[in-house]
Amino acid sequence: MRILIALILLCFGVAGSPAQTLPYHADPSARDLVPNLAAVPNIRFLTTADFPPFNYRDKTGELIGYNIDLARALCADLAIACTIQAWPWAQVGKALEDGQGDALIAGLAMTRENGAFYDFTNVYLMLPGRFVTLKPAADPLDPKTLAGKTVAVRKGSAHEEFMRRYLPDAKLAEFDSEPNALAAVRDKKADAEFGDAMRASFWFNDNPDCCAFAGPPYFKQDLFGEGLSVAVAPGHDAVRQAIDYGLARLKKSGALDEIYLRWFPVSFY
């Protein structure tokens, strides 16, 4: 995948840029590489209905979510007709393999195993790890100053592994869930929490006054995953290239930022 690594791989010890709405996850010049859209008269998106806030049904049964809005925005921008059909998670991958859809937008992980069955578009959303502290201590934060201090983590998580790997001198307080780890910061039982930034952003909605992100986001693909992208059947390059082109255009126009903030009003970048 043509991911602009320099923009998104902020390794430990490398200063990150200030939090932003939504960083470029792919080469922005991709918007200038116009594919043959005539080869893609329509896109049949497949998804699931059980993955909020990305794809799920509201109280009326309507299919909504970040991925749903993104799929519709892509088709509108590219002037391509599209449909979006929800399948059970256990069946949706096979439906794509069987040609019952053209693209799967449902949070399928870009693992080596899945790479044997699908091709993937450029990443449209990365899920970084971030530190959370009480607001007065939030910025600037030099992680090295956490040596000897208590950092809350979810037990057994990739974020705990990150801390053990890169900040071995911090004292880890293990919790059974990220909300409980975050609550330890709120209740002044830990100096900081390190965990999934997206989950923390939702927690802030219920705890708006106590805490904030501290320091830059951290992207470690071997720990936190490659990010979210759209899966297509192997060899369906025309569909993949059209989606990549559309993603770059939506980012350039600001439409991708608008969709992101619609569903994530507390930015986790």
Side-chain angles (χ1 to χ4, degrees):
M1 295 208 315
R2 299 180 299 278
I3 300 174
L4 197 59
I5 301 296
L7 288 179
I8 65 173
L9 293 184
L10 303 178
C11 297
F12 181 78
V14 177
S17 59
Q20 52 186 303
T21 305
L22 188 65
Y24 274 100
H25 293 318
D27 185 347
S29 68
R31 68 183 183 275
D32 301 322
L33 304 175
V34 183
N36 179 18
L37 296 179
V40 189
N42 61 77
I43 299 178
R44 298 170 297 161
F45 280 101
L46 302 177
T47 190
T48 66
D50 57 357
F51 186 39
F54 294 97
N55 29 272
Y56 65 105
R57 295 193 186 278
D58 65 13
K59 294 180 180 179
T60 69
E62 182 182 359
L63 194 61
I64 63 172
Y66 178 91
N67 285 339
I68 308 306
D69 285 355
L70 177 58
R72 289 172 177 156
L74 283 167
C75 292
D77 182 78
L78 297 173
I80 292 175
C82 77
T83 58
I84 307 173
Q85 188 177 34
W87 286 68
W89 176 253
Q91 301 174 21
V92 70
K94 187 65 164 55
L96 181 63
E97 293 176 39
D98 292 343
Q100 298 187 62
D102 303 304
L104 171 58
I105 185 166
L108 185 68
M110 287 191 292
T111 62
R112 181 173 298 179
E113 292 76 16
N114 285 335
F117 299 99
Y118 313 101
D119 289 341
F120 289 93
T121 66
N122 285 328
V123 171
Y124 61 83
L125 190 68
M126 295 285 284
L127 303 175
R130 294 202 70 175
F131 288 101
V132 171
T133 66
L134 294 175
K135 282 188 174 180
D139 277 315
L141 173 72
D142 181 352
K144 295 177 182 178
T145 64
L146 293 174
K149 295 185 178 181
T150 300
V151 178
V153 294
R154 179 171 64 83
K155 185 177 181 179
S157 66
H159 304 92
E160 178 185 10
E161 173 60 25
F162 179 96
M163 290 297 301
R164 295 191 184 281
R165 186 184 299 183
Y166 297 110
L167 278 176
D169 295 330
K171 298 177 181 178
L172 297 188
E174 299 176 340
F175 293 85
D176 59 358
S177 70
E178 289 202 52
N180 286 342
L182 288 160
V185 178
R186 180 196 63 201
D187 300 339
K188 300 182 180 180
K189 296 179 180 179
D191 298 292
E193 186 266 356
F194 186 73
D196 180 78
M198 182 183 71
R199 293 191 182 97
S201 73
F202 289 130
W203 186 83
F204 289 154
N205 290 331
D206 296 323
N207 299 269
D209 299 324
C210 78
C211 306
F213 288 123
Y218 292 90
F219 300 89
K220 293 293 291 180
Q221 291 173 311
D222 61 323
L223 291 175
F224 310 146
E226 301 273 357
L228 301 183
S229 67
V230 182
V232 301
H236 286 206
D237 292 340
V239 173
R240 178 180 56 78
Q241 291 167 1
I243 293 174
D244 281 345
Y245 176 62
L247 289 172
R249 284 172 54 88
L250 291 177
K251 175 57 184 172
K252 175 65 175 179
S253 70
L256 192 59
D257 291 329
E258 190 277 328
I259 294 170
Y260 168 68
L261 289 176
R262 183 187 309 161
W263 290 98
F264 305 103
V266 178
S267 175
F268 47 80
Y269 294 104

